[in-house]
Amino acid sequence: MSLCAVKGFQWLRQRQCVLFSKVCVHQLHSSPGFTDSCYDGLYPGHIHTTPIQKALLAVGSGVAALQNPYRHDMVAVLGETTGHLALINLRDRMKNDPEGYTILTERPRIRLSTLDLSKMASLPDGSFGREYLRFLEDNHVTPDSRADVKFVDNEELAYVMQRYREVHDLLHTLLGMPTNMLGEVAVKWFEAAQTGLPMCALGAVLGPLRLNSSRLQSLFTSLGPWALQNGRRSRCILSIFYERRWEQNLEDLRQELNIEPPPVILSAANKRST
């Protein structure tokens, strides 16, 4: 097969994927009842969807996320429409943990409006709060970028999903991973083992396809095994009241959660490089 034919096939396949995702989303939004008026009082912003609509959302968002892993809106929809059983398990684990139960009761949110950045900046180097703020600054991210949950048809499970999203950057800090593709894949391997969310498993499987050979070697020989091992054995990451741990030493918090330091130190530079 000629090089031109191969490139033509790749282009056609990509166009088919994009068209398919657009058809799924159009079909969903044209379905009767899928409007903001669907809000039924479960929680602000909730949109009720039928099983068929959830399937369409899952397929369409999955294709879009595969095309562009930085489409956080599509990744969010995929997580909400495929994670019901995993969310139940995570909720139960939180309920069986005293600190996790307190979180479920008080429902804290991690937003810029709830963080005292000045106080965190004044904390000593090595403290969890100072290192989290350093992560936000070095990687140019903000906790406000996490989308609100819309498609989870249970108010308590919706909060569990929201909490998972809002502690994602805290997990980057705990694991010492930047937001470049290798760092994100390593975090997804940890999350897949820790949470059981299908979205995380999909990211863990497909993410390596976007890495170059040297980063693949680093993932499979050191970062990957470390992330899976620590994800399986660590304490439930959703059961930690991080807002009350800012002054705690990062290494002490890692030991408490049974998380080992990363075997490789990655730089936050060149965030989107593979």
Side-chain angles (χ1 to χ4, degrees):
M1 184 179 293
S2 68
L3 179 61
C4 290
V6 171
K7 289 184 176 180
F9 175 76
Q10 291 175 338
W11 178 85
L12 179 61
R13 185 168 178 267
Q14 183 180 26
R15 293 298 301 168
Q16 287 174 331
C17 288
V18 172
L19 178 61
F20 182 60
S21 65
K22 288 181 178 179
V23 168
C24 288
V25 173
H26 174 75
Q27 169 100 18
L28 178 66
H29 282 275
S30 62
S31 299
F34 189 83
T35 64
D36 289 338
S37 62
C38 288
Y39 170 52
D40 54 13
L42 277 180
Y43 52 87
H46 173 250
I47 299 175
H48 176 74
T49 48
T50 67
I52 293 178
Q53 290 172 330
K54 277 188 172 60
L56 287 171
L57 273 171
V59 173
S61 61
V63 172
L66 178 60
Q67 292 292 317
N68 182 5
Y70 288 99
R71 281 292 303 274
H72 299 300
D73 54 341
M74 294 293 98
V75 174
V77 172
L78 180 63
E80 292 177 34
T81 53
T82 61
H84 182 70
L85 295 179
L87 290 174
I88 291 175
N89 180 58
L90 289 169
R91 187 268 314 275
D92 292 345
R93 291 173 65 184
M94 293 178 72
K95 282 188 172 181
N96 291 327
D97 183 288
E99 196 169 356
Y101 183 81
T102 300
I103 294 170
L104 283 176
T105 302
E106 297 187 14
R107 305 287 179 90
R109 297 291 304 272
I110 301 175
R111 316 287 288 181
L112 284 178
S113 60
T114 66
L115 298 177
D116 188 341
L117 299 183
S118 298
K119 181 178 180 180
M120 294 170 71
S122 68
L123 294 173
D125 291 342
S127 63
F128 179 54
R130 185 66 189 89
E131 296 309 316
Y132 170 58
L133 181 60
R134 195 189 315 280
F135 165 83
L136 296 178
E137 295 170 344
D138 289 348
N139 293 277
H140 308 290
V141 295
T142 168
D144 287 354
S145 64
R146 302 301 169 185
D148 290 333
V149 175
K150 297 179 180 178
F151 300 108
V152 177
D153 296 332
N154 177 283
E155 187 269 341
E156 191 171 44
L157 296 182
Y159 175 75
V160 174
M161 174 59 80
Q162 191 71 50
R163 185 68 176 178
Y164 157 75
R165 286 181 186 167
E166 294 181 4
V167 305
H168 177 79
D169 289 338
L170 298 175
L171 185 56
H172 270 275
T173 305
L174 284 170
L175 298 179
M177 292 292 108
T179 58
N180 60 26
M181 186 55 69
L182 180 56
E184 290 289 358
V185 173
V187 171
K188 278 291 176 281
W189 281 37
F190 179 98
E191 291 178 337
Q194 165 81 194
T195 69
L197 287 166
M199 169 197 65
C200 297
L202 184 65
V205 171
L206 298 180
L209 299 178
R210 304 180 68 89
L211 298 175
N212 61 31
S213 57
S214 63
R215 288 175 180 253
L216 272 176
Q217 182 177 10
S218 179
L219 177 68
F220 288 127
T221 59
S222 59
L223 284 176
W226 162 79
L228 289 175
Q229 181 184 39
N230 282 272
R232 284 193 295 262
R233 74 181 188 182
S234 70
R235 182 178 167 187
C236 179
I237 57 173
L238 300 187
S239 295
I240 305 300
F241 213 132
Y242 297 102
E243 297 88 329
R244 299 176 180 175
R245 305 295 194 101
W246 299 134
E247 298 180 5
Q248 186 171 354
N249 181 271
L250 176 59
E251 293 303 324
D252 290 344
L253 183 55
R254 283 175 174 165
Q255 291 181 13
E256 181 182 338
L257 298 180
N258 205 19
I259 294 176
E260 296 178 345
V264 178
I265 303 300
L266 302 181
S267 171
N270 301 321
K271 175 181 173 182
R272 288 180 180 263
S273 65
T274 57

